Amino acid sequence: MIRKSLIAISIFSLLYGLVFFLTPNFFAEITRADKTNIAWLRNIGAAISGVLFVGLILVYKSPKKNYDLFTVITMTSVLQTLGLIFSRFFNEFSAQKTLIIDLTIYSAIFVSLYLIYVLIKFNSIFK
């Protein structure tokens, strides 16, 4: 069950990351954000796709060999989530439609908390 949930999160991360990486203008349009500096969206999309998708696939395939990788994935997810929360709190987004930004933050919080939960509660799958 836990491993299947990691696959689900990895696929969700791939889809979400690819939107940012391949079509940052689309995200800027739906949030009505300033498009002059959207390179950071491609960067975030690449990080989400690489770390969460590829990393969780590797953890799924061989959890016993990838405990350290899972720890790095979890820490990265938490740090990115805290960055989103910080930016939202200090109104650093140029987006005028913040509902999508907020949904992104809520999904990041859910994923981060779930990864922490798995890391703590189910660490036996990594040993």
Side-chain angles (χ1 to χ4, degrees):
M1 173 68 179
I2 296 300
R3 291 179 65 211
K4 288 180 183 178
S5 68
L6 297 180
I7 286 293
I9 291 172
S10 71
I11 292 169
F12 172 77
S13 299
L14 174 66
L15 297 174
Y16 214 80
L18 286 178
V19 167
F20 289 155
F21 183 67
L22 298 176
T23 59
N25 283 310
F26 170 74
F27 189 79
E29 285 175 21
I30 63 172
T31 59
R32 291 185 20 212
D34 183 10
K35 296 180 189 176
T36 58
N37 189 15
I38 59 170
W40 65 272
L41 282 174
R42 284 194 201 277
N43 191 0
I44 286 294
I48 291 170
S49 298
V51 174
L52 284 168
F53 173 67
V54 175
L56 287 176
I57 291 292
L58 292 172
V59 171
Y60 171 80
K61 285 176 59 177
S62 185
K64 292 184 184 348
K65 293 181 181 178
N66 289 301
Y67 177 76
D68 291 342
L69 176 60
F70 188 70
T71 302
V72 170
I73 292 167
T74 302
M75 289 174 49
T76 301
S77 180
V78 168
L79 290 171
Q80 286 179 328
T81 300
L82 290 173
L84 281 170
I85 292 168
F86 181 87
S87 290
R88 182 68 172 102
F89 184 76
F90 288 103
N91 202 27
E92 295 175 340
F93 291 99
S94 67
Q96 295 175 16
K97 288 188 173 181
T98 57
L99 176 62
I100 295 172
I101 302 296
D102 292 340
L103 291 174
T104 299
I105 293 169
Y106 295 137
S107 66
I109 290 169
F110 172 78
V111 167
S112 292
L113 290 175
Y114 183 75
L115 294 177
I116 291 168
Y117 172 73
V118 169
L119 189 66
I120 294 169
K121 181 81 171 166
F122 296 97
N123 64 5
S124 62
I125 67 172
F126 299 104
K127 296 178 181 178

